């Protein structure tokens, strides 16, 4: 909890605003930590720990506010699920901090970056200035220039963080924009994201482990997003999806452990083995935190409206849409649908009949009957009839 200042948390605050801020910051934390892993970038450490310290402060303020609000046993019963959610968000934060600590303390496999798929979602940052593609202009103008495949997830302005990124917001010199996309799409922002040497046709030990880590990254991020979604919509169906993702993460961790034993027998460098096992364990902890977040909905407990309102106040929402077997979209690609016109930022994943997951769908991914699309979009996208296209 380095940098934590108890004086910052001495005053209780509105629980709704606290939960909303914790959600926004934890989401960015996940993006940054895994991007640092995949890009082998230790420069992310101070940014991550700044966010972690702030979440620690928010957690304490939220606990104080809840204690002041609980005036009777019935109040305590109603507020208990909120404490569980706050604890789970803090668990996500702690696991992310551990990932970054691993990056700092242990030598990263030297050829990891070359085997990371070009379509793996990552977050990079760029400072607004005259010597970059992104200059002083409105956020809406920047979005038009960088295209729909890249999203702006947050802005750091001096010591303040801005998560409500409205199109009419004017960017200032030295603002730091955090951009989410793939290694391919982020090339056009001016970021130096060289893919490194092409990996050989033979899949070596690091390649196998990197693929497992990329899958665990997607599963963990998706589990947290769906956990928030199930609370927002009080949806047992989404809570069940979080459970499925938790099982997938456990399976991936088992697969990683099996790889460890085989790699050790073949003489793979022990430091590489320890590095991957540590990152995998942190990913599993994030999945467990998502399960804890969704537990109240799964058990049929009533979540206080203040939590749903806080999640609804965030700019990014996750919801799901099922492809009707009779829809003309069956057989089309995601590019054919062009869902960006409907306010959809990205299709995070697709769950197919039989439980198969497409965790990194691209524009060429073909839709099948009864596909369940897990969509991240703006608040406006939820109000638009996407089901009319699907």
């Amino acid at each position: 909890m380095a940098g934590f200042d108890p004086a910052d948390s001495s005053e209780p605050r509105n629980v709704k605003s606290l939960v909303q801020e914790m959600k926004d910051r934890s989401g960015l934390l996940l993006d940054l930590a895994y991007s640092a892993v995949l890009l082998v970038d230790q420069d992310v450490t101070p940014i991550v720990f700044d966010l972690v310290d702030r979440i620690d402060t928010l957690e304490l303020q939220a606990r104080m506010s809840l204690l002041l609000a609980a005036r009777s046993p019935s109040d305590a019963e109603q507020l208990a699920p909120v404490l569980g959610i706050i604890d789970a968000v803090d668990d996500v934060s702690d696991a992310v901090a551990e990932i970054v600590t691993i990056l700092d303390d242990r030598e990263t496999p030297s050829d990891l970056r070359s085997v990371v798929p070009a379509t793996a979602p990552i977050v990079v940052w760029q400072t607004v200035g005259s010597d970059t593609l992104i200059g002083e202009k409105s956020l809406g103008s920047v979005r038009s220039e960088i295209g729909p495949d890249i999203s702006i997830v947050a802005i750091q302005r001096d010591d303040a963080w801005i998560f409500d990124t409205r199109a009419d917001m004017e960017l200032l010199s030295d603002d730091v924009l955090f951009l989410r996309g793939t290694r391919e799409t982020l090339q056009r922002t001016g970021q130096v994201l060289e893919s490194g040497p092409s990996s050989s046709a033979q899949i070596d030990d690091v390649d196998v482990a990197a693929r497992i880590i990329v899958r665990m990254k997607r599963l963990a991020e998706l589990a947290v997003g769906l956990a928030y979604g199930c609370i927002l919509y009080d949806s047992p169906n989404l809570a069940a999806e979080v459970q499925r993702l938790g099982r997938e993460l456990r399976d991936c961790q088992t697969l990683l452990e099996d790889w460890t034993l085989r790699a050790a027998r073949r003489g793979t460098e022990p430091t590489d083995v320890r590095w991957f096992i540590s990152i995998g364990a942190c990913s599993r902890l994030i999945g467990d935190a998502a399960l804890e977040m969704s537990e109240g909905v799964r058990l049929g407990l009533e979540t206080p409206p203040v939590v749903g309102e806080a999640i609804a106040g965030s700019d990014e929402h996750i919801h799901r849409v099922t492809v009707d077997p009779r829809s003309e979209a069956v057989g089309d690609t995601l590019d054919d649908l062009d869902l960006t016109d409907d306010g959809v930022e990205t299709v995070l994943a697709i769950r197919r009949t039989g439980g198969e997951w497409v965790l990194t769908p691209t524009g060429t991914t073909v839709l099948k009957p009864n596909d369940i699309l897990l969509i991240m979009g703006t608040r406006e996208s939820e109000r638009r009839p996407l089901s009319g296209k699907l």
Side-chain angles (χ1 to χ4, degrees):
M1 205 181 286
F4 176 74
D5 184 0
D8 292 339
S9 56
S10 59
E11 293 294 328
R13 282 175 47 194
N14 177 278
V15 173
K16 173 183 171 182
S17 65
L18 290 166
V19 173
Q20 182 175 329
E21 192 175 343
M22 289 182 76
K23 174 190 179 294
D24 288 336
R25 288 173 184 268
S26 64
L28 181 58
L29 270 175
L30 272 175
D31 283 332
L32 286 173
Y34 279 115
S35 297
V37 169
L38 300 182
L39 297 175
V40 194
D41 184 1
Q42 276 91 355
D43 290 343
V44 75
T45 304
I47 300 173
V48 166
F49 278 109
D50 177 64
L51 289 166
V52 168
D53 289 341
R54 181 58 183 162
I55 287 178
D56 287 338
T57 301
L58 293 170
E59 181 198 13
L60 184 55
Q61 288 178 321
R63 288 181 179 279
M64 291 170 61
S65 297
L66 290 170
L67 286 171
L68 290 171
R71 304 176 187 276
S72 67
S74 61
D75 286 346
E77 183 178 355
Q78 288 182 338
L79 295 173
V82 186
L83 276 173
I85 293 166
I86 291 169
D87 283 342
V89 175
D90 189 57
D91 288 344
V92 170
S93 172
D94 290 343
V96 168
E98 181 62 23
I99 287 175
V100 174
T101 301
I102 292 166
L103 285 176
D104 277 349
D105 293 348
R106 302 184 189 179
E107 185 177 350
T108 304
S110 57
D111 49 352
L112 173 64
R113 188 163 165 175
S114 66
V115 299
V116 174
T119 56
I122 53 175
V123 166
V124 298
W125 57 91
Q126 187 171 84
T127 302
V128 173
S130 57
D131 58 341
T132 67
L133 176 67
I134 300 176
E136 294 186 49
K137 57 188 77 172
S138 73
L139 206 54
S141 298
V142 172
R143 284 196 175 115
S144 298
E145 291 176 11
I146 62 179
D149 295 329
I150 300 173
S151 58
I152 301 170
V153 295
I155 300 170
Q156 188 179 25
R157 179 171 293 170
D158 297 325
D159 292 330
W161 287 88
I162 302 169
F163 292 95
D164 185 10
T165 52
R166 301 181 305 277
D168 60 352
M169 179 182 295
E170 291 295 322
L171 295 176
L172 305 179
S173 182
D174 296 326
D175 279 353
V176 181
L177 272 62
F178 290 82
L179 310 169
R180 182 195 292 126
T182 66
R183 197 167 57 199
E184 292 175 334
T185 59
L186 287 165
Q187 289 281 0
R188 60 175 177 263
T189 69
Q191 291 291 334
V192 181
L193 296 172
E194 298 299 329
S195 60
S198 300
S199 56
S200 62
Q202 181 181 357
I203 298 178
D204 62 13
D205 284 335
V206 173
D207 196 344
V208 172
R211 291 170 189 270
I212 298 172
I213 290 296
V214 169
R215 182 171 180 80
M216 293 187 79
K217 165 195 180 297
R218 293 294 289 159
L219 289 168
E221 290 174 335
L222 194 54
V224 171
L226 290 184
Y228 285 123
C230 83
I231 295 166
L232 175 61
Y233 302 112
D234 192 24
S235 169
N237 288 333
L238 286 181
E241 299 288 359
V242 175
Q243 274 193 307
R244 289 190 187 95
L245 291 167
R247 288 195 292 269
E248 289 261 1
L249 274 166
R250 288 193 292 274
D251 290 344
C252 282
Q253 189 175 22
T254 300
L255 188 61
L256 199 57
E257 290 168 353
D258 290 345
W259 166 83
T260 301
L261 296 173
R262 294 191 182 97
R265 191 167 56 213
R266 286 191 296 269
T268 299
E269 188 65 34
T271 54
D272 288 356
V273 173
R274 286 197 300 271
W275 191 91
F276 282 114
I277 288 297
S278 298
I279 298 294
C282 291
S283 301
R284 167 72 184 277
L285 289 175
I286 292 169
D288 290 344
L291 282 170
E292 183 182 352
M293 249 188 276
S294 63
E295 185 176 15
V297 174
R298 198 166 61 249
L299 297 176
L301 302 179
E302 183 177 354
T303 303
V306 65
V307 177
E309 291 168 7
I311 295 172
S314 294
D315 193 48
E316 290 184 334
H317 283 192
I318 291 179
H319 51 290
R320 66 184 215 163
V321 178
T322 301
V323 178
D324 191 312
R326 299 163 296 179
S327 169
E328 294 181 0
V330 173
D332 285 348
T333 66
L334 290 176
D335 276 347
D336 292 334
L337 291 180
D338 194 17
L339 295 177
T340 53
D341 289 343
D342 298 279
V344 172
E345 178 184 304
T346 186
V347 178
L348 293 174
I350 300 173
R351 188 164 69 83
R352 302 211 140 130
T353 304
E356 175 194 356
W357 285 95
V358 180
L359 290 174
T360 312
T362 65
T364 59
T365 299
V366 176
L367 297 177
K368 298 182 179 181
N370 297 311
D371 276 355
I372 297 174
L373 275 61
L374 302 174
I375 290 172
M376 177 181 287
T378 61
R379 275 170 273 184
E380 288 74 17
S381 71
E382 292 179 72
R383 305 187 186 105
R384 298 183 186 182
L386 292 180
S387 55
K389 286 187 173 181
L390 300 174

